[in-house]
Amino acid sequence: MTEPEAEDRKPQSDEARSAFVPPAGVVAQAAPVEEESSTTSEFALPKGLDVPQVPPTDSEGSAFSTPRTYSAKHAPPAFTPPAGIPRVDLTKDVPWQDRMRTMLRMPVAERPVPETVQKTEDEGPAVPRVLDLTLRIGELLLAGGEGAEDVEAAMFAVCRSYGLDRCEPGVTFTLLSISYQPSLVEDPVTASRTVRRRGTDYTRLAAVYQLVDDISDDQTEVSLEESYRRLAEIRRNRHPYSGWLLTMATGGLAGAASVLVGGDAIVFVAAAIGAMLGDRLAWLCAGRGLPEFYQFTVAATPAAAMGAALTIAHVDVRASAVITGGLFALLPGRALVAGVQDGLTGYYITAAARLLEVMYFYVGIVIGVLVILYFGVKLGAELNPDAALQSSNRPGWQIAASMLLTLCFAVLLQQERSTVLIVTLNGGVAWSVYGAMHYVGEISPVASTAAAAGLVGLFGQLLSRYRFASALPYTTAAIGPLLPGSATYFGLLAIAQNDVDEGLVSLTKAAALAMAIAIGVNLGSEISRLFMRLPGASAGARRAAKRTRGF
């Protein structure tokens, strides 16, 4: 063996051998030479690794679509409260208002699945048409002065009756909205409607309530086409009372109010004439397109001018009673009660808007009366508030006047003729309670007013449950005799006579009386519900209307 061959057979050291050189006897295959222009990424899959390809989808996904990693079979365990989830019984022997109000006060996850009342198409309910019908019904109720919670309950009842259970209605002062989500993984459908015109017609309000009651009744079949037809008839119906009859009712209301504060026959006629002139002027302003603020300002001037003119003419009458009667016909008691009711039930935005509207109307009345009183005092009108405060003890005449006032107020609210007699009796009972507590028992007027208004709310709620209707026709007109007309007049007169402090005290008293009326009516309605069988959780107490408890 030669020396070079021996040298080749010697084992090479680790330093002389490369780790990347294939061992002897192994034939290495030449790797394909890649082109210099090709680029690689560190995120590229290695060659030879087979990964199933997902079919391309839309680049814009939905927030409600099911995640790709979600598996219903291996889902995490759901949380259950320690006391368990209470079972909800929605008994059908209670009014639909209570059932829907109970549902609205529950979280969405705890609401039971509805039993569809009305038949729909085979492929399911027509969602856009159901939402449109719901908004139109809610618009009529809100424009008629119904509270926000009652409007939401009616909208919720219509949706659930046509098979839309995942609905969330929303009501503000001028905007109605409703959102429906078919399932947890589908996009919601939302619709809204703006309330631009308001009117007082309790006959139309009662007809809408009857329609909602028929839709919610499992014994009555009302299709979508039938609901739309009835809703169109409700919109086209004429008011039950003519314009001149409403003007005469305004005069009767003012005259009856003047008798309540101690007026006689001459005062009754003077107050009625002043109120009717103011009503005609307000109609004229409305026809010219003036806002309601100026309508109230113009309507307040004739009654005040009538009282000042009688005093300047040295006619032996109580001019203050004439002006007070005219104010009774203008005070916005309906809007005040609705605003306070919305605040007490947790709808603070709507309540603030309603109370702001009441404040604007009140300021318009104040401006109209103050202008007349200022010129009357300058012309020598002797308006003595101390003499006006002397109230005569005439319970029979006062009860009769309170009932007449309530009757005229019911006509002005365009109530059904079948409810006028009942609400008239309710107004007489309210004034009897107030007179017994204030004049006989010598209790403060604020407490007496609150108690009488609470009785009005209690009776009104019971009557509305008996007839499955709204409580407004049975309560709004009955609070007419309790409105703070005299306190408002005394405050305005004191301000016109440069006694600002005394005037502010009297106006504050008027505001306290107005709040006592509104809170009393709402409290009476809530007390009536305490003694009724209401739907709710069988293992828990009745849920409150307030969503939070201050923390």
Side-chain angles (χ1 to χ4, degrees):
M1 184 183 304
T2 60
E3 185 175 355
E5 292 178 354
E7 189 68 26
D8 292 337
R9 290 179 178 274
K10 290 182 181 180
Q12 297 181 356
S13 63
D14 294 337
E15 290 81 2
R17 182 169 51 191
S18 174
F20 299 97
V21 176
V26 177
V27 180
Q29 297 179 356
V33 180
E34 297 182 356
E35 298 181 1
E36 295 181 358
S37 60
S38 62
T39 57
T40 59
S41 172
E42 58 182 349
F43 299 102
L45 294 175
K47 293 185 177 181
L49 180 61
D50 188 12
V51 179
Q53 299 295 325
V54 180
T57 57
D58 190 5
S59 58
E60 294 184 2
S62 172
F64 298 93
S65 59
T66 306
R68 295 179 180 177
T69 58
Y70 176 80
S71 175
K73 185 180 297 184
H74 305 288
F79 172 76
T80 303
I85 299 177
R87 182 174 61 88
V88 178
D89 278 335
L90 293 179
T91 56
K92 296 184 178 181
D93 56 348
V94 295
W96 61 265
Q97 296 96 320
D98 289 335
R99 300 201 307 269
M100 296 303 108
R101 189 179 291 110
T102 302
M103 297 288 292
L104 286 174
R105 293 177 181 180
M106 295 172 56
V108 180
E110 298 181 11
R111 293 175 183 172
V113 178
E115 298 178 3
T116 304
V117 176
Q118 304 299 333
K119 294 181 180 179
T120 56
E121 292 79 3
D122 296 336
E123 62 273 9
V127 176
R129 297 194 65 195
V130 173
L131 297 184
D132 179 69
L133 175 67
T134 302
L135 289 175
R136 291 178 183 273
I137 290 177
E139 178 189 8
L140 288 180
L141 293 177
L142 187 62
E146 193 62 81
E149 188 178 27
D150 294 327
V151 175
E152 283 194 2
M155 295 171 63
F156 196 69
V158 174
C159 284
R160 288 181 63 87
S161 298
Y162 284 109
L164 307 184
D165 56 328
R166 294 180 177 272
C167 286
E168 283 297 331
V171 176
T172 59
F173 185 58
T174 58
L175 182 65
L176 296 169
S177 63
I178 187 167
S179 178
Y180 167 67
Q181 186 176 354
S183 64
L184 293 176
V185 296
E186 296 184 58
D187 296 339
V189 181
T190 303
S192 61
R193 194 174 183 87
T194 303
V195 180
R196 302 188 181 276
R197 185 178 179 182
R198 300 176 183 276
T200 304
D201 190 345
Y202 282 180
T203 300
R204 178 180 296 175
L205 188 70
V208 176
Y209 259 82
Q210 184 61 46
L211 174 60
V212 178
D213 184 63
D214 291 342
I215 293 175
S216 305
D217 188 10
D218 55 351
Q219 303 296 329
T220 306
E221 182 179 348
V222 183
S223 63
L224 280 174
E225 289 74 15
E226 178 68 15
S227 298
Y228 270 106
R229 186 189 64 79
R230 291 179 57 179
L231 196 62
E233 290 180 356
I234 292 173
R235 286 180 175 273
R236 289 195 300 263
N237 281 347
R238 297 178 58 87
H239 299 303
Y241 309 107
S242 62
W244 285 105
L245 182 59
L246 297 180
T247 300
M248 294 178 61
T250 303
L253 191 153
S258 65
V259 174
L260 280 180
V261 294
D264 52 10
I266 299 178
V267 172
F268 180 94
V269 174
I273 294 175
M276 288 190 290
L277 289 176
D279 183 74
R280 286 289 96 187
L281 287 176
W283 278 89
L284 180 62
C285 294
R288 298 293 181 178
L290 289 178
E292 287 185 299
F293 175 83
Y294 301 105
Q295 296 177 27
F296 274 81
T297 302
V298 172
T301 55
M306 184 71 67
L310 290 176
T311 304
I312 294 174
H314 301 288
V315 180
D316 189 15
V317 295
R318 303 182 66 175
S320 58
V322 176
I323 302 175
T324 301
L327 291 177
F328 264 88
L330 296 175
L331 293 179
R334 173 183 58 87
L336 176 66
V337 172
V340 175
Q341 180 182 359
D342 288 339
L344 294 177
T345 51
Y347 296 84
Y348 301 112
I349 297 178
T350 308
R354 288 185 189 270
L355 294 179
L356 185 62
E357 181 189 37
V358 171
M359 188 192 72
Y360 271 102
F361 291 164
Y362 203 84
V363 170
I365 297 171
V366 167
I367 292 176
V369 176
L370 269 181
V371 170
I372 299 300
L373 291 181
Y374 177 78
F375 284 105
V377 171
K378 291 296 183 180
L379 293 176
E382 298 179 358
L383 300 172
N384 186 9
D386 295 332
L389 285 172
Q390 299 174 0
S391 59
S392 58
N393 186 11
R394 303 179 301 172
W397 283 100
Q398 288 178 332
I399 293 176
S402 66
M403 296 178 67
L404 177 61
L405 190 152
T406 306
L407 174 64
C408 296
F409 202 175
V411 173
L412 289 175
L413 293 175
Q414 302 279 1
Q415 290 191 196
E416 291 181 301
R417 292 180 174 86
S418 59
T419 64
V420 170
L421 179 59
I422 298 176
V423 74
T424 300
L425 296 176
N426 198 10
V429 172
W431 179 260
S432 300
V433 173
Y434 171 79
M437 295 181 63
H438 179 57
Y439 295 115
V440 179
E442 297 182 354
I443 303 176
S444 67
V446 176
S448 302
T449 301
L455 195 62
V456 168
L458 178 62
F459 286 168
Q461 195 65 233
L462 294 177
L463 290 172
S464 67
R465 299 307 173 87
Y466 176 71
R467 297 199 172 192
F468 294 92
S470 172
L472 289 181
Y474 302 99
T475 57
T476 306
I479 65 172
L482 305 176
L483 293 176
S486 58
T488 304
Y489 165 70
F490 297 150
L492 299 180
L493 179 59
I495 293 176
Q497 294 178 345
N498 294 326
D499 192 355
V500 179
D501 295 337
E502 185 67 26
L504 292 178
V505 170
S506 186
L507 290 179
T508 304
K509 178 183 176 182
L513 290 173
M515 292 296 293
I517 293 173
I519 295 176
V521 170
N522 183 264
L523 183 61
S525 300
E526 293 296 330
I527 289 176
S528 66
R529 296 192 181 103
L530 294 178
F531 302 99
M532 294 180 180
R533 183 184 178 185
L534 297 180
S538 58
R542 172 179 179 264
R543 294 179 181 269
K546 194 174 181 181
R547 274 68 174 171
T548 63
R549 300 195 180 275
F551 52 84

